[in-house]
CSV table of all heavy atoms in Angstrom, one decimal:
chain,number,residue,atom,x,y,z
A,21,MET,N,0.8,-1.2,0.0
A,21,MET,CA,0.0,0.0,0.0
A,21,MET,C,0.9,1.3,0.0
A,21,MET,O,1.8,1.4,0.8
A,21,MET,CB,-0.9,0.0,1.2
A,21,MET,CG,-1.8,1.2,1.3
A,21,MET,SD,-3.0,1.1,2.7
A,21,MET,CE,-4.3,0.2,2.0
A,22,GLU,N,0.6,2.2,-0.9
A,22,GLU,CA,1.3,3.4,-1.0
A,22,GLU,C,0.9,4.4,0.1
A,22,GLU,O,-0.3,4.5,0.4
A,22,GLU,CB,1.1,4.0,-2.3
A,22,GLU,CG,1.7,5.3,-2.6
A,22,GLU,CD,1.4,5.8,-4.0
A,22,GLU,OE1,0.5,5.3,-4.6
A,22,GLU,OE2,2.0,6.8,-4.3
A,23,THR,N,1.8,5.1,0.7
A,23,THR,CA,1.5,6.2,1.7
A,23,THR,C,1.7,7.5,1.0
A,23,THR,O,2.7,7.8,0.4
A,23,THR,CB,2.5,6.1,2.9
A,23,THR,OG1,2.3,4.8,3.5
A,23,THR,CG2,2.1,7.2,3.9
A,24,VAL,N,0.7,8.3,1.1
A,24,VAL,CA,0.7,9.7,0.5
A,24,VAL,C,0.7,10.7,1.7
A,24,VAL,O,-0.2,10.6,2.6
A,24,VAL,CB,-0.5,9.9,-0.4
A,24,VAL,CG1,-0.5,11.4,-0.9
A,24,VAL,CG2,-0.5,8.9,-1.5
A,25,LYS,N,1.6,11.6,1.7
A,25,LYS,CA,1.7,12.6,2.8
A,25,LYS,C,0.8,13.8,2.4
A,25,LYS,O,0.9,14.3,1.3
A,25,LYS,CB,3.1,13.0,3.0
A,25,LYS,CG,4.0,11.9,3.6
A,25,LYS,CD,5.4,12.4,3.9
A,25,LYS,CE,6.2,11.3,4.4
A,25,LYS,NZ,7.6,11.8,4.7
A,26,PHE,N,0.1,14.3,3.4
A,26,PHE,CA,-0.7,15.5,3.3
A,26,PHE,C,-0.2,16.5,4.3
A,26,PHE,O,-0.1,16.2,5.5
A,26,PHE,CB,-2.2,15.3,3.5
A,26,PHE,CG,-2.8,14.5,2.4
A,26,PHE,CD1,-2.8,13.1,2.4
A,26,PHE,CD2,-3.4,15.1,1.3
A,26,PHE,CE1,-3.4,12.3,1.4
A,26,PHE,CE2,-4.0,14.4,0.3
A,26,PHE,CZ,-4.0,13.0,0.3
A,27,ALA,N,0.2,17.7,3.9
A,27,ALA,CA,0.7,18.7,4.8
A,27,ALA,C,-0.5,19.6,5.3
A,27,ALA,O,-1.4,19.9,4.6
A,27,ALA,CB,1.7,19.6,4.1
A,28,ILE,N,-0.5,19.9,6.6
A,28,ILE,CA,-1.4,20.8,7.2
A,28,ILE,C,-0.7,22.1,7.3
A,28,ILE,O,0.1,22.3,8.2
A,28,ILE,CB,-2.0,20.3,8.5
A,28,ILE,CG1,-2.6,18.9,8.4
A,28,ILE,CG2,-2.9,21.3,9.1
A,28,ILE,CD1,-3.0,18.3,9.6
A,29,ASN,N,-1.0,23.0,6.4
A,29,ASN,CA,-0.4,24.3,6.4
A,29,ASN,C,-1.1,25.3,7.3
A,29,ASN,O,-2.3,25.6,7.0
A,29,ASN,CB,-0.3,24.9,5.0
A,29,ASN,CG,0.6,24.1,4.1
A,29,ASN,OD1,1.5,23.4,4.6
A,29,ASN,ND2,0.4,24.1,2.8
A,30,VAL,N,-0.5,25.8,8.3
A,30,VAL,CA,-1.2,26.8,9.2
A,30,VAL,C,-1.0,28.2,8.6
A,30,VAL,O,0.2,28.6,8.4
A,30,VAL,CB,-0.6,26.7,10.6
A,30,VAL,CG1,-1.2,27.8,11.5
A,30,VAL,CG2,-0.7,25.3,11.2
A,31,ILE,N,-2.1,28.8,8.3
A,31,ILE,CA,-2.0,30.1,7.6
A,31,ILE,C,-2.1,31.2,8.7
A,31,ILE,O,-1.4,32.2,8.6
A,31,ILE,CB,-3.2,30.3,6.6
A,31,ILE,CG1,-3.1,29.2,5.6
A,31,ILE,CG2,-3.3,31.7,6.0
A,31,ILE,CD1,-4.3,29.1,4.7
A,32,SER,N,-2.9,31.1,9.7
A,32,SER,CA,-3.0,32.0,10.8
A,32,SER,C,-3.4,31.2,12.0
A,32,SER,O,-3.7,30.0,11.9
A,32,SER,CB,-4.0,33.1,10.5
A,32,SER,OG,-5.3,32.6,10.6
A,33,PRO,N,-3.4,31.8,13.2
A,33,PRO,CA,-3.8,31.0,14.4
A,33,PRO,C,-5.2,30.3,14.3
A,33,PRO,O,-5.4,29.2,14.9
A,33,PRO,CB,-3.8,32.0,15.5
A,33,PRO,CG,-2.9,33.1,15.1
A,33,PRO,CD,-3.0,33.1,13.6
A,34,ASN,N,-6.1,30.8,13.5
A,34,ASN,CA,-7.4,30.2,13.4
A,34,ASN,C,-7.7,29.7,12.0
A,34,ASN,O,-8.9,29.5,11.6
A,34,ASN,CB,-8.5,31.2,13.7
A,34,ASN,CG,-8.4,31.6,15.2
A,34,ASN,OD1,-8.1,30.8,16.0
A,34,ASN,ND2,-8.6,32.9,15.4
A,35,MET,N,-6.7,29.4,11.1
A,35,MET,CA,-6.9,29.0,9.8
A,35,MET,C,-5.8,28.1,9.3
A,35,MET,O,-4.7,28.3,9.6
A,35,MET,CB,-7.0,30.2,8.9
A,35,MET,CG,-7.5,29.9,7.5
A,35,MET,SD,-7.6,31.4,6.4
A,35,MET,CE,-8.1,32.7,7.4
A,36,CYS,N,-6.2,27.0,8.6
A,36,CYS,CA,-5.2,26.1,8.0
A,36,CYS,C,-5.8,25.5,6.7
A,36,CYS,O,-6.9,25.8,6.3
A,36,CYS,CB,-4.9,24.9,9.0
A,36,CYS,SG,-6.3,23.8,9.2
A,37,ARG,N,-4.9,24.8,6.0
A,37,ARG,CA,-5.2,24.2,4.7
A,37,ARG,C,-4.5,22.9,4.6
A,37,ARG,O,-3.3,22.8,5.0
A,37,ARG,CB,-4.8,25.2,3.6
A,37,ARG,CG,-5.2,24.7,2.3
A,37,ARG,CD,-4.8,25.7,1.2
A,37,ARG,NE,-5.3,25.3,0.0
A,37,ARG,CZ,-6.2,25.9,-0.8
A,37,ARG,NH1,-6.6,27.1,-0.4
A,37,ARG,NH2,-6.6,25.4,-1.9
A,38,ILE,N,-5.2,21.9,4.1
A,38,ILE,CA,-4.6,20.6,3.8
A,38,ILE,C,-4.2,20.4,2.4
A,38,ILE,O,-5.1,20.6,1.5
A,38,ILE,CB,-5.5,19.4,4.3
A,38,ILE,CG1,-5.9,19.6,5.8
A,38,ILE,CG2,-4.9,18.1,4.0
A,38,ILE,CD1,-6.9,18.6,6.2
A,39,VAL,N,-3.0,20.2,2.1
A,39,VAL,CA,-2.5,20.0,0.7
A,39,VAL,C,-1.7,18.7,0.6
A,39,VAL,O,-0.9,18.4,1.5
A,39,VAL,CB,-1.7,21.2,0.2
A,39,VAL,CG1,-2.5,22.5,0.1
A,39,VAL,CG2,-0.5,21.5,1.1
A,40,PRO,N,-1.7,18.0,-0.6
A,40,PRO,CA,-1.0,16.8,-0.7
A,40,PRO,C,0.5,17.2,-1.1
A,40,PRO,O,0.7,18.2,-1.7
A,40,PRO,CB,-1.6,16.1,-1.9
A,40,PRO,CG,-2.3,17.2,-2.7
A,40,PRO,CD,-2.7,18.3,-1.7
A,41,ASN,N,1.4,16.3,-0.7
A,41,ASN,CA,2.8,16.4,-1.1
A,41,ASN,C,3.1,15.5,-2.2
A,41,ASN,O,4.1,14.9,-2.3
A,41,ASN,CB,3.7,16.1,0.1
A,41,ASN,CG,3.7,17.1,1.2
A,41,ASN,OD1,3.3,18.3,1.0
A,41,ASN,ND2,4.1,16.7,2.4
A,42,ASP,N,2.2,15.4,-3.2
A,42,ASP,CA,2.3,14.5,-4.3
A,42,ASP,C,1.7,15.3,-5.5
A,42,ASP,O,0.8,16.0,-5.4
A,42,ASP,CB,1.4,13.3,-4.1
A,42,ASP,CG,1.7,12.2,-5.0
A,42,ASP,OD1,1.6,12.4,-6.2
A,42,ASP,OD2,2.1,11.1,-4.5
A,43,ILE,N,2.4,15.2,-6.6
A,43,ILE,CA,2.0,15.9,-7.8
A,43,ILE,C,0.9,15.3,-8.6
A,43,ILE,O,0.4,15.9,-9.6
A,43,ILE,CB,3.3,16.2,-8.7
A,43,ILE,CG1,3.8,14.9,-9.3
A,43,ILE,CG2,4.2,17.0,-8.0
A,43,ILE,CD1,4.9,15.1,-10.3
A,44,ARG,N,0.6,14.1,-8.3
A,44,ARG,CA,-0.5,13.4,-9.1
A,44,ARG,C,-1.8,14.0,-8.9
A,44,ARG,O,-2.2,14.3,-7.8
A,44,ARG,CB,-0.5,11.9,-8.8
A,44,ARG,CG,0.8,11.2,-9.3
A,44,ARG,CD,0.8,9.8,-8.9
A,44,ARG,NE,1.2,9.7,-7.6
A,44,ARG,CZ,1.5,8.6,-6.9
A,44,ARG,NH1,1.3,7.5,-7.5
A,44,ARG,NH2,1.9,8.6,-5.7
A,45,ARG,N,-2.6,14.1,-10.0
A,45,ARG,CA,-3.9,14.8,-10.0
A,45,ARG,C,-4.9,14.1,-9.1
A,45,ARG,O,-5.6,14.8,-8.4
A,45,ARG,CB,-4.4,14.8,-11.4
A,45,ARG,CG,-5.8,15.4,-11.5
A,45,ARG,CD,-6.3,15.5,-12.9
A,45,ARG,NE,-5.8,16.7,-13.3
A,45,ARG,CZ,-6.3,17.4,-14.4
A,45,ARG,NH1,-7.2,16.8,-15.1
A,45,ARG,NH2,-5.8,18.5,-14.7
A,46,ARG,N,-4.9,12.8,-9.0
A,46,ARG,CA,-5.9,12.2,-8.1
A,46,ARG,C,-5.8,12.5,-6.7
A,46,ARG,O,-6.8,12.6,-6.0
A,46,ARG,CB,-5.9,10.6,-8.3
A,46,ARG,CG,-4.6,10.0,-7.9
A,46,ARG,CD,-4.7,8.5,-8.2
A,46,ARG,NE,-3.3,7.9,-7.9
A,46,ARG,CZ,-3.1,6.7,-8.1
A,46,ARG,NH1,-4.0,5.8,-8.4
A,46,ARG,NH2,-1.9,6.2,-7.8
A,47,PHE,N,-4.6,12.7,-6.2
A,47,PHE,CA,-4.4,13.2,-4.8
A,47,PHE,C,-4.7,14.6,-4.6
A,47,PHE,O,-5.2,15.0,-3.5
A,47,PHE,CB,-3.0,12.8,-4.3
A,47,PHE,CG,-2.8,11.3,-4.3
A,47,PHE,CD1,-1.8,10.7,-5.1
A,47,PHE,CD2,-3.6,10.5,-3.5
A,47,PHE,CE1,-1.6,9.3,-5.1
A,47,PHE,CE2,-3.4,9.1,-3.5
A,47,PHE,CZ,-2.4,8.5,-4.3
A,48,LYS,N,-4.4,15.4,-5.6
A,48,LYS,CA,-4.8,16.9,-5.5
A,48,LYS,C,-6.3,17.0,-5.5
A,48,LYS,O,-6.8,17.9,-4.8
A,48,LYS,CB,-4.1,17.6,-6.7
A,48,LYS,CG,-2.6,17.8,-6.5
A,48,LYS,CD,-2.1,18.7,-7.5
A,48,LYS,CE,-0.6,18.8,-7.3
A,48,LYS,NZ,0.0,19.9,-7.9
A,49,GLU,N,-7.0,16.2,-6.3
A,49,GLU,CA,-8.4,16.3,-6.3
A,49,GLU,C,-9.1,15.9,-5.0
A,49,GLU,O,-10.1,16.4,-4.5
A,49,GLU,CB,-9.0,15.5,-7.4
A,49,GLU,CG,-8.7,16.1,-8.8
A,49,GLU,CD,-9.1,15.2,-9.9
A,49,GLU,OE1,-9.5,14.0,-9.7
A,49,GLU,OE2,-9.1,15.7,-11.1
A,50,ILE,N,-8.4,14.9,-4.3
A,50,ILE,CA,-8.9,14.4,-3.0
A,50,ILE,C,-8.9,15.5,-2.0
A,50,ILE,O,-9.8,15.7,-1.2
A,50,ILE,CB,-8.1,13.2,-2.5
A,50,ILE,CG1,-8.5,12.0,-3.4
A,50,ILE,CG2,-8.4,12.9,-1.1
A,50,ILE,CD1,-7.7,10.7,-3.1
A,51,ALA,N,-7.8,16.3,-2.0
A,51,ALA,CA,-7.6,17.3,-1.0
A,51,ALA,C,-8.0,18.7,-1.5
A,51,ALA,O,-7.5,19.7,-0.9
A,51,ALA,CB,-6.2,17.3,-0.4
A,52,ASP,N,-8.8,18.7,-2.5
A,52,ASP,CA,-9.1,20.0,-3.1
A,52,ASP,C,-10.2,20.7,-2.2
A,52,ASP,O,-11.3,20.3,-2.1
A,52,ASP,CB,-9.7,19.9,-4.5
A,52,ASP,CG,-10.0,21.2,-5.2
A,52,ASP,OD1,-9.3,22.1,-4.9
A,52,ASP,OD2,-10.9,21.2,-6.0
A,53,GLY,N,-9.8,21.8,-1.6
A,53,GLY,CA,-10.7,22.5,-0.7
A,53,GLY,C,-10.1,23.8,-0.3
A,53,GLY,O,-9.0,24.2,-0.7
A,54,GLY,N,-10.9,24.5,0.4
A,54,GLY,CA,-10.5,25.9,0.8
A,54,GLY,C,-9.8,25.9,2.2
A,54,GLY,O,-9.3,24.9,2.7
A,55,CYS,N,-9.8,27.0,2.8
A,55,CYS,CA,-9.2,27.2,4.1
A,55,CYS,C,-10.2,26.6,5.2
A,55,CYS,O,-11.4,26.8,5.1
A,55,CYS,CB,-8.9,28.7,4.4
A,55,CYS,SG,-7.7,29.3,3.3
A,56,ILE,N,-9.6,26.0,6.2
A,56,ILE,CA,-10.3,25.4,7.3
A,56,ILE,C,-10.2,26.3,8.5
A,56,ILE,O,-9.1,26.7,8.9
A,56,ILE,CB,-9.8,24.0,7.5
A,56,ILE,CG1,-9.9,23.1,6.3
A,56,ILE,CG2,-10.6,23.4,8.7
A,56,ILE,CD1,-9.2,21.8,6.3
A,57,MET,N,-11.4,26.6,9.1
A,57,MET,CA,-11.3,27.6,10.2
A,57,MET,C,-11.8,27.0,11.6
A,57,MET,O,-11.9,27.7,12.5
A,57,MET,CB,-12.1,28.8,9.9
A,57,MET,CG,-11.6,29.5,8.7
A,57,MET,SD,-12.4,31.0,8.2
A,57,MET,CE,-11.9,32.1,9.4
A,58,SER,N,-12.1,25.6,11.6
A,58,SER,CA,-12.4,25.0,12.9
A,58,SER,C,-11.9,23.6,13.0
A,58,SER,O,-11.6,23.0,12.0
A,58,SER,CB,-14.0,25.0,13.0
A,58,SER,OG,-14.5,23.9,12.5
A,59,LEU,N,-11.6,23.2,14.2
A,59,LEU,CA,-11.0,21.9,14.4
A,59,LEU,C,-12.0,20.8,14.0
A,59,LEU,O,-11.5,19.8,13.4
A,59,LEU,CB,-10.7,21.8,15.9
A,59,LEU,CG,-10.0,20.5,16.3
A,59,LEU,CD1,-8.7,20.3,15.6
A,59,LEU,CD2,-9.9,20.4,17.8
A,60,ASP,N,-13.3,20.9,14.2
A,60,ASP,CA,-14.2,19.9,13.8
A,60,ASP,C,-14.2,19.7,12.3
A,60,ASP,O,-14.2,18.6,11.8
A,60,ASP,CB,-15.7,20.3,14.2
A,60,ASP,CG,-15.8,20.3,15.7
A,60,ASP,OD1,-15.0,19.7,16.4
A,60,ASP,OD2,-16.8,21.0,16.2
A,61,VAL,N,-14.1,20.8,11.5
A,61,VAL,CA,-14.1,20.7,10.1
A,61,VAL,C,-12.8,20.0,9.6
A,61,VAL,O,-12.8,19.2,8.7
A,61,VAL,CB,-14.3,22.0,9.4
A,61,VAL,CG1,-14.1,22.0,7.9
A,61,VAL,CG2,-15.6,22.6,9.8
A,62,MET,N,-11.7,20.4,10.3
A,62,MET,CA,-10.4,19.8,9.9
A,62,MET,C,-10.3,18.3,10.2
A,62,MET,O,-9.9,17.5,9.3
A,62,MET,CB,-9.2,20.5,10.7
A,62,MET,CG,-7.9,19.9,10.3
A,62,MET,SD,-6.5,20.7,11.1
A,62,MET,CE,-6.5,19.8,12.7
A,63,LEU,N,-10.8,17.9,11.3
A,63,LEU,CA,-10.9,16.4,11.6
A,63,LEU,C,-11.8,15.7,10.6
A,63,LEU,O,-11.5,14.6,10.2
A,63,LEU,CB,-11.3,16.2,13.0
A,63,LEU,CG,-10.3,16.7,14.1
A,63,LEU,CD1,-10.9,16.6,15.5
A,63,LEU,CD2,-9.0,16.0,14.0
A,64,ALA,N,-13.0,16.3,10.3
A,64,ALA,CA,-13.9,15.7,9.3
A,64,ALA,C,-13.2,15.6,8.0
A,64,ALA,O,-13.3,14.5,7.3
A,64,ALA,CB,-15.2,16.4,9.2
A,65,GLU,N,-12.5,16.6,7.6
A,65,GLU,CA,-11.8,16.6,6.3
A,65,GLU,C,-10.7,15.5,6.2
A,65,GLU,O,-10.5,14.8,5.2
A,65,GLU,CB,-11.3,18.0,5.9
A,65,GLU,CG,-10.7,18.1,4.6
A,65,GLU,CD,-11.7,17.9,3.5
A,65,GLU,OE1,-12.9,18.1,3.7
A,65,GLU,OE2,-11.3,17.5,2.3
A,66,MET,N,-10.0,15.4,7.3
A,66,MET,CA,-8.9,14.4,7.4
A,66,MET,C,-9.5,13.0,7.3
A,66,MET,O,-8.9,12.1,6.6
A,66,MET,CB,-8.1,14.5,8.7
A,66,MET,CG,-7.2,15.8,8.8
A,66,MET,SD,-6.5,16.1,10.4
A,66,MET,CE,-5.4,14.8,10.6
A,67,GLU,N,-10.6,12.8,7.9
A,67,GLU,CA,-11.3,11.5,7.9
A,67,GLU,C,-11.8,11.2,6.4
A,67,GLU,O,-11.6,10.1,5.9
A,67,GLU,CB,-12.5,11.4,8.8
A,67,GLU,CG,-13.2,10.1,8.9
A,67,GLU,CD,-14.4,10.1,9.9
A,67,GLU,OE1,-14.4,11.0,10.7
A,67,GLU,OE2,-15.2,9.2,9.8
A,68,SER,N,-12.3,12.2,5.8
A,68,SER,CA,-12.8,12.1,4.4
A,68,SER,C,-11.6,11.7,3.5
A,68,SER,O,-11.7,10.9,2.6
A,68,SER,CB,-13.4,13.3,4.0
A,68,SER,OG,-13.8,13.3,2.6
A,69,ILE,N,-10.5,12.4,3.6
A,69,ILE,CA,-9.3,12.2,2.8
A,69,ILE,C,-8.8,10.8,3.0
A,69,ILE,O,-8.4,10.1,2.1
A,69,ILE,CB,-8.2,13.2,3.1
A,69,ILE,CG1,-8.7,14.6,2.6
A,69,ILE,CG2,-6.9,12.8,2.5
A,69,ILE,CD1,-7.8,15.8,3.0
A,70,THR,N,-8.7,10.3,4.3
A,70,THR,CA,-8.3,9.0,4.6
A,70,THR,C,-9.1,7.9,3.9
A,70,THR,O,-8.6,7.0,3.3
A,70,THR,CB,-8.3,8.8,6.1
A,70,THR,OG1,-7.4,9.8,6.7
A,70,THR,CG2,-7.8,7.4,6.5
A,71,LYS,N,-10.5,8.1,3.9
A,71,LYS,CA,-11.4,7.2,3.3
A,71,LYS,C,-11.2,7.1,1.8
A,71,LYS,O,-11.2,6.1,1.2
A,71,LYS,CB,-12.8,7.5,3.6
A,71,LYS,CG,-13.2,7.1,5.1
A,71,LYS,CD,-14.6,7.5,5.4
A,71,LYS,CE,-15.0,7.2,6.8
A,71,LYS,NZ,-16.4,7.6,7.1
A,72,LYS,N,-11.1,8.3,1.2
A,72,LYS,CA,-10.9,8.4,-0.3
A,72,LYS,C,-9.6,7.8,-0.7
A,72,LYS,O,-9.5,7.1,-1.8
A,72,LYS,CB,-11.0,9.8,-0.7
A,72,LYS,CG,-12.4,10.4,-0.6
A,72,LYS,CD,-12.4,11.9,-1.0
A,72,LYS,CE,-13.8,12.5,-0.9
A,72,LYS,NZ,-13.8,13.9,-1.2
A,73,CYS,N,-8.5,7.9,0.1
A,73,CYS,CA,-7.3,7.3,-0.3
A,73,CYS,C,-7.3,5.8,-0.2
A,73,CYS,O,-6.8,5.1,-1.0
A,73,CYS,CB,-6.2,7.9,0.7
A,73,CYS,SG,-5.6,9.5,0.2
A,74,ALA,N,-8.0,5.3,0.9
A,74,ALA,CA,-8.2,3.9,1.0
A,74,ALA,C,-8.9,3.3,-0.2
A,74,ALA,O,-8.7,2.1,-0.6
A,74,ALA,CB,-8.9,3.6,2.3
A,75,GLU,N,-9.9,4.0,-0.7
A,75,GLU,CA,-10.6,3.5,-1.9
A,75,GLU,C,-9.8,3.3,-3.1
A,75,GLU,O,-10.1,2.4,-3.9
A,75,GLU,CB,-11.8,4.5,-2.2
A,75,GLU,CG,-12.9,4.5,-1.2
A,75,GLU,CD,-13.9,5.6,-1.5
A,75,GLU,OE1,-13.8,6.3,-2.6
A,75,GLU,OE2,-14.8,5.7,-0.8
A,76,ILE,N,-8.7,4.0,-3.2
A,76,ILE,CA,-7.8,3.9,-4.4
A,76,ILE,C,-6.5,3.1,-4.0
A,76,ILE,O,-5.6,3.0,-4.8
A,76,ILE,CB,-7.5,5.2,-5.0
A,76,ILE,CG1,-6.8,6.1,-4.1
A,76,ILE,CG2,-8.7,5.9,-5.6
A,76,ILE,CD1,-6.3,7.4,-4.7
A,77,GLY,N,-6.5,2.6,-2.8
A,77,GLY,CA,-5.4,1.7,-2.4
A,77,GLY,C,-4.2,2.4,-1.9
A,77,GLY,O,-3.1,2.0,-2.0
A,78,ALA,N,-4.4,3.5,-1.2
A,78,ALA,CA,-3.3,4.3,-0.6
A,78,ALA,C,-3.7,4.6,0.9
A,78,ALA,O,-4.8,4.5,1.2
A,78,ALA,CB,-3.0,5.6,-1.4
A,79,SER,N,-2.7,4.9,1.6
A,79,SER,CA,-2.9,5.4,3.0
A,79,SER,C,-2.5,6.8,3.1
A,79,SER,O,-1.5,7.3,2.4
A,79,SER,CB,-2.2,4.5,4.0
A,79,SER,OG,-0.8,4.6,3.8
A,80,ALA,N,-3.2,7.6,3.9
A,80,ALA,CA,-2.9,9.0,4.1
A,80,ALA,C,-2.1,9.2,5.4
A,80,ALA,O,-2.4,8.6,6.4
A,80,ALA,CB,-4.2,9.8,4.2
A,81,LEU,N,-1.1,10.1,5.3
A,81,LEU,CA,-0.3,10.5,6.4
A,81,LEU,C,-0.4,12.0,6.5
A,81,LEU,O,0.0,12.7,5.6
A,81,LEU,CB,1.1,10.0,6.3
A,81,LEU,CG,2.1,10.4,7.4
A,81,LEU,CD1,1.7,9.7,8.7
A,81,LEU,CD2,3.5,10.0,7.0
A,82,PHE,N,-0.8,12.5,7.7
A,82,PHE,CA,-0.9,14.0,7.8
A,82,PHE,C,0.3,14.5,8.7
A,82,PHE,O,0.6,13.9,9.7
A,82,PHE,CB,-2.2,14.3,8.5
A,82,PHE,CG,-3.4,13.9,7.7
A,82,PHE,CD1,-4.0,12.7,7.9
A,82,PHE,CD2,-3.9,14.8,6.7
A,82,PHE,CE1,-5.1,12.3,7.1
A,82,PHE,CE2,-5.0,14.4,5.9
A,82,PHE,CZ,-5.6,13.2,6.1
A,83,GLU,N,0.9,15.6,8.3
A,83,GLU,CA,2.0,16.2,9.0
A,83,GLU,C,1.9,17.7,9.0
A,83,GLU,O,1.3,18.3,8.1
A,83,GLU,CB,3.3,15.7,8.5
A,83,GLU,CG,3.5,16.0,7.0
A,83,GLU,CD,4.8,15.5,6.4
A,83,GLU,OE1,5.3,14.5,7.0
A,83,GLU,OE2,5.2,16.0,5.4
A,84,MET,N,2.3,18.3,10.1
A,84,MET,CA,2.3,19.8,10.2
A,84,MET,C,3.7,20.3,9.8
A,84,MET,O,4.7,19.8,10.0
A,84,MET,CB,1.9,20.2,11.5
A,84,MET,CG,0.4,20.0,11.8
A,84,MET,SD,-0.1,20.8,13.3
A,84,MET,CE,-0.7,22.3,12.7
């Protein structure tokens, strides 16, 4: 199983963005979204990204 890293970029104290560290289009489309402004939304997005990666045979790793 392939591991794909997703970076959590902190833009400001109350805002972040999740971006893939992979140039392939399928992973960019999985993490295609805007700025995240709450912890609940960030956790839900991380769960969604993990599920979508599992569907295509990859595992997601998040790092700050």
